[in-house]
Amino acid sequence: MLQVYDTEITSRLFLGTAGYPSPAVLSDAVRASGTQIITVSLRRETAGGKAGGAFFELIRGLGTKILPNTAGCHTTKEAVLTAKMAREVFKTNWIKLEVIGNQDTLQPDVFALVEAARILSNEGFEVFPYTTDDLVVAERLVEAGCRVLMPWCAPIGSAMGPQNLSALRSMRAHFPDVTLIVDAGIGRPSHATTVMELGFDAVLLNTAVAGAGNPAVMASGFAKAVEAGRLAFEAGMLEPRDMAVPSTPVIGKAVFS
Amino acid sequence: MNLNVNGEEHEIACSTLAELMAALDYEGSWLATAVNGELVHAADRDGWRLRDHDRIEILSPMKGG
């Protein structure tokens, strides 16, 4: 069981809703993943348009909790206002806080991120900050009121997988009581397993499933990978060693010559 | 009155945010509104008086990662 703020969930896979070939494929992928938390955004509605309403009905019908994001925001002010508008629509204090600082890497502007996290936490939001693996920034976010941190493991949509395992290990060690969710950069199930084996509490991904040849099958694969990594972490893994160690007992071996 | 709605200029006769939304056929419980960078709750739209050159954002749910 994973505690996310005051909510307990069993699935450690969070899933984004963007980039699927169709709403039906999105629905199938969400169900196949077993996720209990999906991410969504807010965008301008065209006059007379009902696209937002149709999508709203679709996601409400999936039976998951909704985690709205502030994707595309580049300033504290934009992110705070978007979060407030998201709360108005989705009736949740949860907000996946994104403040983008670099257009090429989509790296977060961690200074604006901390400022926005403090403002939103003080206004009753439960903030899920999309951040880097920088420990000092993470400290500031926790001081600002965040009880969840969501470090990237590689740039959004890059599918590169974990680029700095050492930093992720340090983060886990430094924040044993903070819910840590790897967000962004995961491309394949083995990446998810790797970060879960490090003791991360959950994984949030989108493109790796939405862009797969068969998103529903990939979602199922990721669900198994996340669970495998978590079980391995809980079970305790062997440390690698340089020399071979026979697994079959040598004592009692027959002597034929 | 000249109003900027979701980045587009509109010359329109209305006095409140609710009237503007009705005139442009915006309707739905899933819409969120802001005027000049400040959130306007759905319950406040009827009484929210607009001024010339106000900037209005009307947002709705969209897919996201």
Side-chain angles (χ1 to χ4, degrees), chain A residues 17 41 43-45 69 88, chain B residues 41-42 57 60 62-65:
Chain A
T17 57
S41 67
R43 286 292 181 268
R44 285 172 167 172
E45 179 72 282
N69 70 28
E88 174 90 354
Chain B
H41 294 289
E57 292 287 338
S60 68
M62 181 62 70
K63 56 195 177 182

Side-chain angles (χ1 to χ4, degrees), chain A residues 16-20 39-53 55-56 59 69 77 81 84-85 88-90 96 98 204 206, chain B residues 4-8 10 24-27 29-34 36-43 45 55 57-65:
Chain A
T17 57
Y20 293 83
T39 56
V40 298
S41 67
L42 281 181
R43 286 292 181 268
R44 285 172 167 172
E45 179 72 282
T46 54
K50 299 290 182 278
F55 181 71
F56 193 44
I59 59 173
N69 70 28
K77 186 177 180 185
L81 177 57
K84 291 178 179 176
M85 296 179 83
E88 174 90 354
V89 171
F90 298 109
K96 180 189 170 191
E98 297 184 34
L204 193 165
N206 188 152
Chain B
N4 184 297
V5 183
N6 284 352
E8 292 183 357
H10 290 264
L24 294 180
D25 197 23
Y26 282 104
E27 185 184 5
S29 62
W30 58 86
L31 298 173
T33 50
N36 299 329
E38 297 295 330
L39 172 70
V40 179
H41 294 289
R45 290 174 193 154
R55 291 175 295 106
E57 292 287 338
I58 303 173
L59 306 186
S60 68
M62 181 62 70
K63 56 195 177 182

